[in-house]
């Protein structure tokens, strides 16, 4: 895995909970996880705790999740 940064453990845990809640049709919990993911990602990004490749990876995840979460309501 040369040239690839490790994934961020906290962000990965939030994504795991988001996907678990979404697959169990817990819409409110999935939406909460998504908002938490965005908040934590932004904090890490602003504080410089993520490498460039990590930022690109998680921004791609956000682009994938955003349309799904907009439609994911009751």
């Amino acid at each position: 895995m040369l040239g690839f940064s490790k994934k961020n453990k906290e962000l990965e845990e939030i994504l795991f909970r988001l996907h678990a809640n979404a697959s169990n049709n817990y819409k409110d919990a999935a939406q909460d996880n998504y908002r938490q993911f965005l908040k934590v990602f932004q904090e890490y990004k602003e504080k410089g705790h993520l490498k460039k490749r990590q930022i690109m990876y998680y921004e791609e995840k956000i682009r994938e999740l955003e349309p799904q979460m907009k439609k994911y309501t009751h």
Side-chain angles (χ1 to χ4, degrees):
M1 293 210 314
L2 292 175
F4 184 74
S5 300
K6 291 185 177 183
K7 296 176 185 174
N8 179 280
K9 185 176 180 179
E10 184 176 4
L11 291 173
E12 288 300 310
E13 288 174 3
I14 297 168
L15 283 175
F16 177 80
R17 287 194 309 270
L18 187 157
H19 290 298
N21 285 324
S23 69
N24 288 315
N25 206 25
Y26 300 143
K27 295 178 180 183
D28 291 338
Q31 287 286 351
D32 288 343
N33 295 142
Y34 180 65
R35 285 189 289 275
Q36 180 187 17
F37 175 78
L38 293 175
K39 179 182 175 211
V40 172
F41 172 70
Q42 192 61 37
E43 288 173 1
Y44 280 178
K45 189 174 158 183
E46 288 173 359
K47 292 179 181 178
H49 293 276
L50 297 173
K51 295 180 174 141
K52 185 177 179 179
R53 293 189 59 101
Q54 289 174 312
I55 293 170
M56 290 171 32
Y57 172 79
Y58 289 115
E59 285 176 342
E60 178 62 28
K61 290 289 183 189
I62 291 169
R63 282 191 291 278
E64 292 171 5
L65 288 169
E66 187 175 26
Q68 295 170 0
M69 291 292 112
K70 283 183 180 178
K71 296 186 285 185
Y72 204 65
T73 60
H74 290 284

